Amino acid sequence: MKFDELDAMMRVYETANDRCVEQGVYMVARIDGRSFTKLTKEKVSFEAPFDVRFRELMADTTRHLMTCGFKVTYGYSESDEISLLFDLDINVYGRKVRKYNSILAGEASAKFSLMLGELAAFDCRICELPDRKTVVDYFRWRNEDAHRNGLNAHCYWMLRNEGMAKGAAAAQIEGRTIEDKVALLASRGIDFHTLPSWQLRGTGFYWVDDEKRGYNPKEQREVVSSKRAIKTDIYLPEGEAYAQLVRGMLP
Ligand SMILES: Nc1nc2c(ncn2[C@@H]2O[C@H](COP(=O)(O)OP(=O)(O)OP(=O)(O)O)[C@@H](O)[C@H]2O)c(=O)[nH]1
Ligand SMILES: [Mg+2]
């Protein structure tokens, strides 16, 4: 069999499950650290429940993903996950899901591992969202997830640091309402409202015009140049104000 024939015959198997996302559908990628519970507890020592160094590694990885060849409108990171909203008209790789999943997981894993100096891997999935409202709801969902996890983590580690066993600490939190957890923290003198915003709401990444003032010696005058830069926002609002922020970025 000639190579061309063999090539054509085998390609069918390779592309059998290739899907492209339809035009007009919003795409969001969620990239999540693989077995980061083990990585953050056993392989590398990070402060629990929150470590600024870990947040910065995730932030650098997010900014890398926003500038590695995909048109990204908005990035969001909480815990070991990153969500990326692509431009509605993105067309790179013909919107082939396989390409987005494999390249983004690969780029995130490579960037994070290089910075950490340890092997770290990410998975990736693509959410296909039909309209603006669902996109806003997606990011509200992750924002609320951050809030729930952050509150749980603070309660859990407060009890653990008091000497409580793992299972008992988890059982104390299980099934409790937000109000119960806030009261649990307050009973030990921790005001929930003073906890750092990024630990409860995550971090947002969006494009802004960055103006730079300079001096043009030839024309002997001050000039202002502007270029697009990523703003990293560790003070994201919540609820409707956050929905407004995301809505404002959509076409
Ligand atoms: N110590 C520490 N751990 C963190 C921090 N941020 C996230 N993590 C940990 O990252 C883990 C993320 O959880 P998951 O994504 O649900 O679990 P996973 O172990 O990564 O499992 P898979 O995602 O299913 O592969 C949790 O165990 C968090 O405690 C941090 O700032 N400090
Ligand atoms: Mg994970």
Side-chain angles (χ1 to χ4, degrees):
M1 194 185 283
K2 284 193 187 130
F3 177 77
D4 287 353
E5 282 171 43
L6 184 63
D7 191 49
M9 190 179 91
M10 297 316 296
R11 288 252 176 241
V12 176
Y13 295 103
E14 191 185 61
T15 57
N17 291 317
D18 258 6
R19 264 196 63 245
C20 299
V21 178
E22 270 180 57
Q23 297 289 340
V25 173
Y26 287 96
M27 292 164 71
V28 172
R30 189 159 73 257
I31 297 107
D32 187 289
R34 181 175 181 225
S35 303
F36 269 34
T37 305
K38 198 169 174 199
L39 177 88
T40 53
K41 284 180 181 63
E42 293 173 21
K43 283 168 98 182
V44 185
S45 151
F46 285 108
E47 237 177 83
F50 292 101
D51 190 316
V52 172
R53 188 165 73 99
F54 184 82
R55 183 195 76 191
E56 289 307 302
L57 288 168
M58 292 301 294
D60 279 339
T61 305
T62 308
R63 287 187 291 262
H64 172 68
L65 294 179
M66 288 175 77
T67 50
C68 75
F70 297 85
K71 278 160 78 180
V72 177
T73 308
Y74 178 54
Y76 174 75
S77 176
E78 57 128 333
S79 184
D80 70 336
E81 69 170 59
I82 296 164
S83 291
L84 303 173
L85 168 68
F86 299 106
D87 275 19
L88 181 58
D89 62 359
I90 191 168
N91 216 12
V92 67
Y93 301 114
R95 301 168 69 87
K96 210 176 267 182
V97 174
R98 171 174 63 86
K99 280 287 191 184
Y100 286 70
N101 278 333
S102 56
I103 293 170
L104 292 164
E107 290 280 354
S109 306
K111 179 71 184 176
F112 195 96
S113 298
L114 273 179
M115 290 184 301
L116 183 65
E118 268 284 342
L119 190 147
F122 287 82
D123 68 22
C124 178
R125 71 202 64 185
I126 299 290
C127 301
E128 299 173 33
L129 308 173
D131 48 35
R132 292 176 90 229
K133 180 186 176 300
T134 325
V135 172
V136 173
D137 284 345
Y138 173 91
F139 283 99
R140 282 183 44 182
W141 170 46
R142 298 327 297 159
N143 185 278
E144 291 307 323
D145 182 77
H147 190 260
R148 203 196 56 177
N149 289 341
L151 188 54
N152 285 349
H154 273 287
C155 290
Y156 176 83
W157 282 104
M158 184 189 77
L159 297 171
R160 294 277 288 130
N161 291 335
E162 287 174 357
M164 198 178 275
K166 284 180 192 172
Q172 276 260 335
I173 302 159
E174 181 75 29
R176 296 284 192 97
T177 63
I178 292 180
E179 290 72 27
D180 287 343
K181 292 172 200 168
V182 170
L184 177 65
L185 291 174
S187 71
R188 311 297 205 280
I190 301 172
D191 180 1
F192 160 75
H193 300 285
T194 61
L195 296 176
S197 164
W198 63 271
Q199 298 181 2
L200 298 171
R201 292 288 164 194
T203 306
F205 303 83
Y206 42 87
W207 296 95
V208 292
D209 286 325
D210 189 19
E211 287 199 345
K212 285 231 161 19
R213 288 181 183 281
Y215 185 75
N216 184 330
K218 232 179 189 175
E219 295 177 16
Q220 295 193 341
R221 67 180 181 92
E222 196 183 68
V223 285
V224 181
S225 64
S226 169
K227 74 173 169 58
R228 301 278 279 161
I230 296 172
K231 178 179 163 69
T232 300
D233 190 346
I234 59 167
Y235 301 103
L236 287 177
E238 57 185 84
E240 183 47 33
Y242 182 58
Q244 287 270 8
L245 178 80
V246 176
R247 221 174 274 132
M249 287 181 252
L250 299 175

